[in-house]
Amino acid sequence: MLTNFIRDERAAISFDWIVLTAVLVATGMAVVRTVSGGIETVSSDNRPQLRGQIVQQSFGPDSLCSAGIDGLRAREAKRVSNGGSDPVDVDTWMLTNAEALNDGALLRERDRLAALTKGDDTVWVRDHTLQGLLECGMAQRGI
């Protein structure tokens, strides 16, 4: 039966399609392997640039995190330069405190600080920085 299959000209057409399909599959696999490696490289290269970036629309313009981590750093530096005590290291705080809280605890702490600072928008205080950091942490988590 195999001999008849090989000698039959109709079998040659089937064999051609099998070879063409195999070549297309192999080409597709090579493209996927090449592209996925490039995507991983690009995502790894962008990770440090994107770390700490927050989408402003997460909370809107009235959010303490609307300017992102860079904005909080600047506000905290200004607060300390104006004589504020107990400076907050924004980067360290985000890595240690915000990451240690689960989603519920993050929300509760943000609400607690918001209640403490409610109506006190004239002067930037340490609790504003902490609240902003919590809001940035919420935005990073997609809460």
Side-chain angles (χ1 to χ4, degrees), residues 3-127:
T3 308
N4 288 338
F5 179 77
I6 292 172
R7 289 185 182 166
D8 191 355
E9 287 185 21
R10 290 178 293 175
I13 294 173
S14 297
F15 183 74
D16 288 345
W17 279 107
I18 291 171
V19 170
L20 286 172
T21 303
V23 168
L24 286 173
V25 169
T27 303
M29 290 172 61
V31 167
V32 167
R33 190 174 315 137
T34 303
V35 170
S36 67
I39 289 172
E40 288 176 17
T41 301
V42 168
S43 66
S44 296
D45 291 347
N46 289 336
R47 185 176 298 142
Q49 294 171 349
L50 295 176
R51 173 166 268 139
Q53 297 298 315
I54 304 297
V55 177
Q56 183 171 350
Q57 288 77 18
S58 297
F59 294 102
D62 296 333
S63 165
L64 296 180
C65 185
S66 63
I69 299 295
D70 291 334
L72 286 173
R73 266 191 220 107
R75 287 177 179 165
E76 181 63 11
K78 184 176 179 182
R79 179 187 76 81
V80 171
S81 70
N82 288 338
S85 62
D86 198 14
V88 177
D89 182 354
V90 171
D91 299 310
T92 303
W93 198 94
M94 280 297 284
L95 290 174
T96 56
N97 298 0
E99 303 239 344
L101 297 172
N102 64 29
D103 292 351
L106 192 69
L107 289 167
R108 284 190 299 277
E109 184 63 14
R110 192 273 317 249
D111 292 342
R112 183 186 74 77
L113 287 170
L116 289 175
T117 59
K118 188 173 185 174
D120 186 19
D121 295 336
T122 57
V123 177
W124 188 267
V125 295
R126 185 176 196 276
D127 286 344

